[in-house]
Amino acid sequence: MAREKSFPSGVAQFTLFDNTGQPLNERVAFIRSNDVMQVTVKSAKATYKAKEAVAVSLEAKDSKGLGVRATFRFLLLTRPKYRAATI
């Protein structure tokens, strides 16, 4: 049995298979551990015009300052009812 502490913080997907390899059940869980990730977001510009391509770089480090492998998804809102996005 896997211990929760052995997983890093984030979303984990678990699938239970039968003895022939067919999936029987699947669950998604959020795991909150004591690990801390520092994420730095950098952009060439502070503001962008509507429909202008935005290029950003992301850097993720663990609590010891070592680089970590991670998957990120983010949403940039540009509708007038939201404040201008700045990076």
Side-chain angles (χ1 to χ4, degrees), residues 6-74:
S6 66
F7 293 98
S9 291
V11 178
Q13 180 177 349
F14 301 94
T15 306
L16 178 65
F17 297 93
D18 67 12
N19 61 351
T20 66
Q22 294 298 312
L24 297 174
N25 199 333
E26 188 170 78
R27 292 289 182 262
V28 176
F30 181 78
I31 298 172
R32 185 182 312 271
S33 296
N34 288 329
D35 56 345
V36 177
M37 184 185 302
Q38 300 292 327
V39 179
T40 304
V41 181
K42 294 181 182 178
S43 174
K45 297 168 57 174
T47 59
Y48 290 86
K49 296 177 184 174
K51 298 189 179 185
E52 182 179 1
V54 177
V56 297
S57 65
L58 299 171
E59 182 179 64
K61 294 183 178 181
D62 64 13
S63 59
K64 297 175 185 172
L66 301 174
V68 296
R69 187 174 179 193
T71 301
F72 295 95
R73 293 189 176 125
F74 61 94

